[in-house]
Amino acid sequence: MRKKLKRIVLICLLVATCCCLGACEFFNLDVLTCDHQYVDKHPYYKIVTEPTETTAGLAVYTCTECGYLKVDVLPATGETPPPVDPPVDPPVDPPANPQVTLVFVSNGQTVETQQFDGTLAPPTVENGNMLFEGWFLDENYTTPLVGSNLEGLDGTFYVYAKWAEPPVDPTDTLVANFVDRNLSTDNENVTFATTGTVFGYEPTLGVQFSQLFGDVELTSHQTFDGVNAVRVVVSTSCTQGMEVFVSVGGMSFVCLDSNIDSQAENLELVFVGAMPTNGQVVVTMSPNSYNKNMYISLVEINPEGAVLPTPNNVMPTQNYNALTFDNSDLQYQMENFVGGTYEGGYIGLPSTGTYNALVVPVQFSGYVYTQSQLNNLEIAFNGTEQQTGWNSVATYYKTSSYGKLNLSFDIAPVHTAKYSHTHYKYSNDGAEDILLEVLSALNSSVNFQNYDSNNDGMIDAVYLIYSAPVDYDDEYSNYWAYVTTTMTNKTYDNLYPYYYLFAGYDFVLEDIDAPNTVERYGILDGLKVNASTFIHETGHLLGLDDYYDYNPNQGSDEGLGTADMMDSTVGDHSAYSKIMLGWIEPTIVTSTQTFEIGNLGETGQCLLVPLNFNNSYFSEYLLVDLYSATGLNQLHSNVENSFLYDGAKFGVRIYHVTNWLSNPYSDDYYSFTDYNNSVSKFALIKLVEADGTTNYSDSWYDGYGYAMADDLWQKGDNLLASFNTYSRNDGKVVNFNIIVNNATSQSASITVWFAN
């Protein structure tokens, strides 16, 4: 009530004032106005004087925020309200001219300060023999000093000189002696930084590091070109010694004596590269114990005399002529060989084509085939991957040959042998007697002409699968698995029998994932019917040798370490076997190149690097391919203690092949090639082991020599880092290196580098 009375009083006073001063004077009363926005005039809006046609009126109301009175002039009804001028912003003074000050800094010191007036004039600076690479507006050298980068700036800015090490002459022999604990050297062109903690300096031993803190790595500040070798002088006071490693540009260099197994003082070690290499030099000292100290006193780049082998010891350049290259395979050579002249010979199963082969189940009294067993034989030879849990003979060879060999097997009616199984067990002709029995029995019901697919007048092959138990531990028994030939002069449908296979049904049950398994090497998950032995023996019918060692105390004692179908009946065939059977053609390499290859099982790609080459596959060479634990390798790689590189998933393989063909069938092993993996001086095919070891015996009988994961070559590995002087059979050192740039299960990048 009090506020309302106050407003009434004020209105009365205002009316009185208006009457006295007039409308125009009242309009200028500032004391009754405020700066608030008057959006809603209700409820205290009051027209004091109504406007007329010629006279303005007045209205008043109270500000609801501050209580001030607001006065409105109501224009005369016959006039247009006077225009209101828009507000005018006060004038703003223009900004002052920008002032940019540049402070030039080189090597941590201020060189010069300049006022930038639109023209850049940086000072000229020097820093010893360092190379000047320009001025930059940041310490990370990302923003160069140019006029456009200064536009719109105002203030003081630091400008930094960028310096780089000068290039080192690759022909120089550079020696650096360490002179204090700060890793200072007496040669400014060879200096080092370290990841380790320096514990002191001994004038006679060099920079000291405690072995308690593990590996010490020294990395050169400089990048060197064309490094062939590195010499270091090191010492250790530990009785267990230490190891020393050297790399250049990430490439390992090799020293045959880098493992120091005792105390040593000022020991010189020379590390040789596989080829001239560019990059920083890294020296790593690795203690063999945590006691005492390691020292390094000297590093020398390209020491005199430490180079790749001299020309007199290096193999000559090999010649490959694609136009005259003899790409004939093993079967061609066998077909065209008789008695030392190329006038015609015989093979077993052709290695390419589509045809049928004959399988005959043979049973004995007391060992009669059941229908279930016969069903398993059908699956072992003709079944699908789903039926076998892996592969049948037919599916295996279709896959391994990339579709070039398509076999179908006719399972003949069961033949019952004339005598008990013991009658044939130790007879020299026991298996052949059974063969001739079978052929005579089938002569009236089987057209043998269906089994001469190459029309050479011979039955391609006969598979005899006997029901008697396999004699795993009796080396004199005939009841094992093997391929041999008969020299009978009998014919069947005008065809001579020649090659035949003799193997037991028990092999079907080996290592299958079932209660009735015959466990030999470990249960294979998911395997229902095992065709591995029949697949291996089919390799012989195609002309391939065994790659395991029958005589571990004779010959080279080298081979594949069980990791092959023609060795321990595991996995896929090797690149060598596939070349010999005409399934793949390698890329022959005689000049420096980098190659991308896929895994052998899927692509059939591989490299051939000649060693002692006669422009054919029957000479001495290296084969390089990519192994993957997929496809035909998958089943056998997934078992504990796998014969396939102990279960390794992938890696590059290098094989050394020696298969000269000058005197076929001339040794006790009856090899068609001059060399084999049992009795010859050099192995027919051996795995070049990435771990640098050599001369392991590839035999089941001696209990060692299995191929392991570290026998496969991985990213960063190279031949001459593992074998500093890898050589041909004649002792000539190779004139190339093989470098694995990268490797996965699907592809590998491989460089073959040849010395000029």
Side-chain angles (χ1 to χ4, degrees), residues 192-257:
F192 288 85
T194 183
T195 59
T197 300
V198 177
F199 273 76
Y201 176 80
E202 294 287 340
T204 60
L205 299 177
V207 184
Q208 175 188 356
F209 298 90
S210 172
Q211 297 196 168
L212 177 64
F213 296 98
D215 291 359
V216 172
E217 187 175 280
L218 293 90
T219 303
S220 68
H221 294 109
Q222 300 81 8
T223 296
F224 301 94
D225 293 338
V227 180
N228 286 318
V230 176
R231 180 171 71 99
V232 299
V233 176
V234 295
S235 303
T236 175
S237 56
C238 177
T239 56
Q240 285 80 32
M242 66 177 182
E243 288 187 273
V244 183
F245 307 93
V246 169
S247 66
V248 179
M251 183 75 71
S252 296
F253 277 36
V254 178
C255 177
L256 298 181
D257 300 315

Side-chain angles (χ1 to χ4, degrees), residues 273-351:
M275 59 184 181
T277 306
N278 305 332
Q280 291 175 288
V281 174
V282 178
V283 180
T284 302
M285 296 187 294
S286 180
N288 291 336
S289 172
Y290 295 107
N291 298 320
K292 304 297 183 176
N293 300 299
M294 304 178 292
Y295 303 83
I296 183 168
S297 62
L298 177 146
V299 178
E300 182 178 7
I301 312 299
N302 289 341
E304 293 183 5
V307 295
L308 293 178
T310 60
N312 290 336
N313 296 327
V314 176
M315 59 176 270
T317 300
Q318 300 299 293
N319 296 316
Y320 163 62
N321 188 326
L323 296 178
T324 61
F325 179 72
D326 178 4
N327 67 348
S328 60
D329 59 26
L330 179 64
Q331 290 204 336
Y332 176 87
Q333 297 289 347
M334 294 175 71
E335 284 181 307
N336 288 278
F337 179 83
V338 156
T341 62
Y342 288 80
E343 297 175 355
Y346 304 101
I347 62 171
L349 296 174
S351 61

Side-chain angles (χ1 to χ4, degrees), residues 107-186:
N107 202 27
Q109 302 294 323
T110 298
V111 176
E112 187 176 303
T113 301
Q114 296 181 4
Q115 295 297 125
F116 176 61
D117 59 2
T119 301
L120 287 173
T124 300
V125 290
E126 294 182 355
N127 185 13
N129 66 340
M130 302 287 282
L131 296 180
F132 177 68
E133 294 190 339
W135 293 101
F136 292 81
L137 290 169
D138 63 306
E139 292 183 273
N140 294 323
Y141 311 115
T142 61
T143 306
L145 176 64
V146 293
S148 60
N149 288 335
L150 298 175
E151 293 179 359
L153 299 181
D154 188 15
T156 300
F157 299 92
Y158 285 86
V159 187
Y160 301 91
K162 181 180 180 181
W163 300 99
E165 295 284 348
V168 178
D169 186 346
T171 62
D172 283 349
T173 296
L174 301 168
V175 183
N177 292 281
F178 293 101
V179 297
D180 58 36
R181 63 176 299 157
N182 298 319
L183 293 182
S184 303
T185 70
D186 59 359

Side-chain angles (χ1 to χ4, degrees), residues 71-129:
V71 179
D72 273 357
V73 177
L74 306 178
T77 58
E79 297 180 358
T80 302
V84 179
D85 294 333
V88 178
D89 292 333
V92 179
D93 294 333
N97 291 330
Q99 299 293 323
V100 175
T101 302
L102 301 178
V103 180
F104 292 88
V105 178
S106 174
N107 202 27
Q109 302 294 323
T110 298
V111 176
E112 187 176 303
T113 301
Q114 296 181 4
Q115 295 297 125
F116 176 61
D117 59 2
T119 301
L120 287 173
T124 300
V125 290
E126 294 182 355
N127 185 13
N129 66 340

